Amino acid sequence: QKEVEQNSGPLSVPEGAIASLNCTYSDRGSQSFFWYRQYSGKSPELIMFIYSNGDKEDGRFTAQLNKASQYVSLLIRDSQPSDSATYLCAVNYNQGGKLIFGQGTELSVKP
Amino acid sequence: EPEVTQTPSHQVTQMGQEVILRCVPISNHLYFYWYRQILGQKVEFLVSFYNNEISEKSEIFDDQFSVERPDGSNFTLKIRSTKLEDSAMYFCASRTGSGNTIYFGEGSWLTVV
């Protein structure tokens, strides 16, 4: 059974701080890793994806992947109250295949 | 920006009734998906569809469920004989033939009473 695990939170950070969200996955054959943001009652919205070990930056967001440790993380710099949402980690095990989602981490950014 | 559109946004149905959820994927996309999210739970994969046939399905996607792409634009999920536990948000999604990124529609909230 392929699993994706996240701490459900809530993770609370003050405005302007760095929020760090973590995710582990069970299958070493995993190929692609995605971070989605989901506001309550809304659909998942893609933030960014990463395929290779190391860091990938996009604006205030940095995804980090460590395949040896089967670990992927998302850093949000200069957190804003509008970043308050549930962040979903998702893993793709084969080209074009389905995404397996974690349960999501609820982030709360306090003004 | 192109988007996946879904109808209805919310449907209430009586237990035992049939429901059809409709989706219009992004026009140049080739892979289509249905996911579901029960309130407070994970987003779960139901089925993927490519080249007019199911390419993969989960254990959830049993004989109660079916998918169809009747006219080259719409992609539908039919749920027969609905049960209370089918109450969930159903998301349609799609992606291109070459990319890995899956784009989600806004969802159809199904309430079975």
Side-chain angles (χ1 to χ4, degrees):
Chain A
Q1 181 81 346
K2 297 177 172 62
E3 299 284 345
V4 178
E5 298 290 339
Q6 297 180 255
N7 289 325
S8 59
L11 172 66
S12 183
V13 301
E15 184 175 356
I18 296 174
S20 177
L21 304 160
N22 304 315
C23 172
T24 59
Y25 57 94
S26 63
D27 193 318
R28 289 192 173 276
S30 304
Q31 294 193 358
S32 311
F33 307 86
F34 300 81
W35 283 100
Y36 285 83
R37 176 173 60 197
Q38 187 177 33
Y39 293 108
S40 181
K42 302 295 186 182
S43 64
E45 174 192 4
L46 181 69
I47 299 173
M48 62 190 303
F49 56 86
I50 187 167
Y51 303 141
S52 304
N53 275 329
D55 295 359
K56 180 181 178 183
E57 187 173 317
D58 183 0
R60 294 187 296 113
F61 300 95
T62 299
Q64 300 174 317
L65 174 61
N66 183 327
K67 289 189 176 182
S69 301
Q70 295 174 236
Y71 177 92
V72 59
S73 65
L74 180 70
L75 301 178
I76 307 174
R77 288 181 298 281
D78 188 24
S79 296
Q80 302 297 310
S82 58
D83 294 326
S84 298
T86 296
Y87 289 79
L88 308 178
C89 173
V91 177
N92 179 300
Y93 289 88
N94 56 290
Q95 179 72 18
K98 65 188 179 190
L99 291 176
I100 303 295
F101 282 86
Q103 68 267 40
T105 298
E106 183 184 351
L107 173 66
S108 176
V109 181
K110 303 293 187 186
Chain B
E1 185 174 323
E3 57 182 23
V4 178
T5 57
Q6 291 186 240
T7 54
S9 57
H10 190 188
Q11 182 161 352
V12 181
T13 191
Q14 288 203 324
M15 194 167 49
Q17 296 298 303
E18 178 180 284
V19 165
I20 298 177
L21 305 178
R22 292 182 168 81
C23 168
V24 179
I26 296 173
S27 62
N28 64 336
H29 285 192
L30 299 179
Y31 291 82
F32 314 113
Y33 306 86
W34 284 100
Y35 288 79
R36 123 183 139 177
Q37 187 176 30
I38 295 170
L39 188 63
Q41 297 189 22
K42 289 185 184 186
V43 176
E44 300 175 290
F45 168 77
L46 292 179
V47 65
S48 59
F49 192 86
Y50 172 71
N51 200 26
N52 284 318
E53 61 182 20
I54 290 174
S55 50
E56 188 174 4
K57 60 182 180 179
S58 71
E59 293 177 351
I60 302 168
F61 194 89
D62 59 18
D63 291 344
Q64 185 192 2
F65 296 88
S66 62
V67 290
E68 194 177 38
R69 187 162 160 81
D71 57 12
S73 61
N74 291 286
F75 179 50
T76 62
L77 174 68
K78 182 186 290 185
I79 310 173
R80 287 179 283 275
S81 189
T82 49
K83 300 174 282 193
L84 295 176
E85 54 265 39
D86 295 327
S87 295
M89 180 77 93
Y90 288 82
F91 294 111
C92 176
S94 69
R95 70 168 187 88
T96 67
S98 55
N100 268 337
T101 303
I102 295 176
Y103 295 92
F104 285 80
E106 289 299 311
S108 293
W109 182 250
L110 176 65
T111 302
V112 182
V113 297

